[in-house]
DNA sequence: GGCAAGCTTAACCGAAAGGTTGAGAATGCC
DNA sequence: GGCATTCTCAACCTTTCGGTTAAGCTTGCC
């Protein structure tokens, strides 16, 4: 269900927005040229896929990104050689730093990037 | 379009099959309980997403996996912190084997599996 | 040539997706 | 209490999706 949830550009945009910070439903909907109800439905789909969680505080429902849900999908992808293709540079560097500095055991890496289609 | 292509379980299964080897359209269709025409359409969708290429030799059209197409999608995912979350175990093992056996330099990973949504 | 094999195309169908509007349920504020 | 804010639900509509069958085009083989 994760891939289906990710297949819609609106939903991917929402995930990108939530990357910055948790947001209320109304605020999530604001930049989109569609009704609040439509965005609300997208959020349900994202929540069902486990990509976000929603917590109601007062009358405001807060949406929080749950990037762990991408794990399964990403692992599936790794079976296709994506593993080598994508990560090798990053991991080569990681590996290099690991080898040159054996005392280091907590890799500080940041692949923060935004990708629209 | 990659995520949309991946959102269908039949198409994910096809990709897994092509992981083993290139296949003719008829052979791809064989294990499925649907018409050849239906599978042919799925293959068109996968080709449009760049996930496979098709080459006609004689009257047989061969399907070849193009895992590079997963790159873009995977990179997008990495923006969500998935990078650290997913790869640490796999890479911890990779790293361990790398360190214990420095002659090894070609990671053989196979996570070929099929998950339904 | 004639026929079978290997695919694709076209027309069609039902169900699901993505949107709308309108009503309504909670909640907070005065 | 009364009203505005926040969000969901229900009904509806249109388009897309995933499947079917039937026809047709190439290609290979006898």
């Amino acid at each position: 269900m994760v891939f289906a949830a990710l297949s819609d550009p609106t939903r991917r945009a929402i995930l990108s927005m939530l990357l910055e910070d948790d947001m209320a439903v109304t605020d999530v909907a604001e930049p989109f040229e569609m009704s609040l109800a439509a965005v609300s439905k997208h959020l349900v789909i994202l929540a069902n896929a486990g990509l976000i969680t929603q917590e109601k505080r007062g009358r405001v429902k807060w949406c929080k990104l749950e990037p762990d849900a991408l794990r399964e999908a990403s692992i599936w992808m790794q079976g296709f050689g994506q593993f080598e293709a994508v990560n090798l540079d990053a991991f080569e560097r990681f590996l290099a730093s690991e080898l040159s500095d054996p005392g280091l055991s907590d890799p500080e890496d940041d692949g923060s990037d935004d990708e629209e289609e």
Side-chain angles (χ1 to χ4, degrees), chain A:
Chain A
M1 238 158 82
V2 174
F3 284 123
L6 293 176
S7 71
D8 185 86
T10 301
R11 288 194 289 267
R12 289 198 298 276
I14 290 173
L15 292 180
S16 291
M17 290 165 59
L18 291 177
L19 203 49
E20 315 263 335
D21 208 353
D22 298 357
M23 295 180 78
V25 173
T26 305
D27 295 332
V28 170
E30 198 268 332
F32 295 101
E33 302 246 318
M34 68 179 75
S35 68
L36 179 66
V39 172
S40 180
K41 283 196 207 172
H42 281 302
L43 291 170
V44 168
I45 292 170
L46 288 171
N48 285 340
L51 288 162
I52 66 167
T53 50
Q54 296 184 286
E55 184 197 356
K56 195 165 181 181
R57 282 201 295 270
R59 60 183 165 185
V60 175
K61 200 167 191 177
W62 292 91
C63 306
K64 178 173 166 37
L65 188 65
E66 294 293 343
D68 265 14
L70 291 171
R71 266 192 167 203
E72 192 186 345
S74 185
I75 288 172
W76 184 85
M77 282 184 171
Q78 292 187 9
F80 290 90
Q82 171 274 325
F83 183 88
E84 299 88 296
V86 172
N87 295 326
L88 263 200
D89 337 330
F91 272 147
E92 219 124 50
R93 283 186 285 110
F94 170 63
L95 203 69
S97 72
E98 195 56 21
L99 290 169
S100 67
D101 186 0
L104 192 80
S105 69
D106 185 24
E108 211 67 62
D109 202 284
D110 185 8
S112 63
D113 227 338
D114 218 42
E115 195 86 357
E116 250 30 62
E117 84 267 49

